[in-house]
Amino acid sequence: FIMCIMSSSKLLASLFLLMAFKISFAQNFPLRPSQLIQELKQGKQPFQKYAPLTRASARIQQAAISLNNYTSVHLDKNLLKKIVRTHPEALELSIPYNNEILTVDLVQVNFLSKDFKVETSSGEPVEYKPGLFYRGTLKDDDHSIAAFTFFDDEFSAIISSAEGNIVIGKMKDTAIAEEYLVYCDRNFKTLHQTSCTTIDDPAFAEQLAANIQSGASLRSDRCVRLYYEVDHDIFLQSGSELTATVDWMTAVGNEVAT
């Protein structure tokens, strides 16, 4: 697993790369999140209960520009630091959302390979401490999935169910670092349109299937299983900080892999 931070703007086929994440990581984690939760509960594994978010006393007004409905919350950084320090195997989190409290069961995973590394576009290695990765479900909803990623000073998450995708993220461009939003992506005032211009050549799929059936093997045991380039604009949006940029990318990787 190699990640490269670009020093100049470069167009990426985002959809293709996200699909690559899903295909690669699915092989490492054959169990669905609900199965992971079930296995730990059957093994009497205790789930540590935390409520890292509380409803904010004031609504974040700038979010109303983009969202029809959302919940303003405040992060308890002491609880966040405790989770990162103790890295429990299983968590039960309470999340304020609209007029209810969502309960999420989570199991710690690690989708990064042992030889994971980060390089700049000039080939310089970047020292990086990965966060904690969790996946799971809403309590008593085996058809839902959830992915949470915790770092020293912040965290991000997504919960997907029949209600839509509920996103938990830090509010940018605010004076209060602990301000977060909890919202459903169906509540955007303007729908985000995506497209992929990668040519879908049926012949490639046929050739790939033929190679698999013929028992084709790797020509090297040190081949790169996943290579991801992070565009320069994401680096700028992350405050021009390498650690923050890789934090963002690995959190996305955890969400897509789940």
Side-chain angles (χ1 to χ4, degrees), residues 26-234:
Q27 297 173 353
N28 294 329
F29 294 101
L31 294 181
R32 295 173 53 193
S34 58
Q35 293 173 310
L36 292 172
I37 298 296
Q38 185 178 13
E39 281 196 353
L40 260 66
K41 288 187 174 181
Q42 289 176 344
K44 306 300 182 182
Q45 172 69 38
F47 281 65
Q48 303 297 319
K49 297 183 179 181
Y50 291 100
L53 300 173
T54 56
R55 297 184 189 276
S57 56
R59 190 171 170 85
I60 303 175
Q61 295 301 324
Q62 59 261 48
I65 299 174
S66 303
L67 294 165
N68 290 311
N69 188 32
Y70 58 94
T71 303
S72 301
V73 293
H74 184 86
L75 172 66
D76 186 333
K77 280 204 168 183
N78 289 328
L79 278 184
L80 173 63
K81 291 182 181 298
K82 184 176 181 180
I83 292 173
V84 173
R85 184 179 70 253
T86 59
H87 48 83
E89 185 175 353
L91 289 171
E92 180 182 302
L93 299 185
S94 298
I95 305 295
Y97 175 63
N98 290 341
N99 297 319
E100 59 181 320
I101 298 294
L102 302 178
T103 303
V104 188
D105 290 332
L106 299 167
V107 176
Q108 186 179 169
V109 297
N110 182 18
F111 70 91
L112 300 178
S113 62
K114 293 181 179 180
D115 54 354
F116 168 79
K117 64 179 179 179
V118 181
E119 296 178 350
T120 65
S121 56
S122 60
E124 297 177 3
V126 177
E127 290 188 12
Y128 178 69
K129 174 190 173 184
L132 292 178
F133 307 106
Y134 288 81
R135 61 189 52 169
T137 67
L138 286 170
K139 198 174 188 67
D140 300 324
D141 184 356
D142 290 345
H143 297 290
S144 64
I145 59 174
F148 281 63
T149 306
F150 299 93
F151 301 104
D152 289 337
D153 297 314
E154 63 180 287
F155 85 99
S156 63
I158 186 169
I159 305 167
S160 182
S161 70
E163 303 297 323
N165 298 315
I166 299 173
V167 180
I168 305 171
K170 182 178 179 181
M171 189 66 189
K172 302 296 183 182
D173 302 323
T174 177
I176 304 176
E178 293 80 14
E179 285 187 333
Y180 278 66
L181 287 180
V182 184
Y183 63 90
C184 180
D185 61 0
R186 292 179 179 177
N187 287 321
F188 274 110
K189 293 182 177 180
T190 302
L191 295 178
H192 293 263
Q193 302 294 331
T194 59
S195 62
C196 179
T197 57
T198 300
I199 298 175
D200 188 8
D201 186 357
F204 175 77
E206 294 174 0
Q207 182 61 51
L208 178 61
N211 289 341
I212 294 174
Q213 292 176 359
S214 66
S217 59
L218 297 177
R219 294 174 183 268
S220 171
D221 61 357
R222 295 177 58 82
C223 66
V224 176
R225 290 172 295 282
L226 182 64
Y227 175 82
Y228 205 103
E229 291 183 353
V230 181
D231 205 355
H232 187 60
D233 59 350
I234 296 176

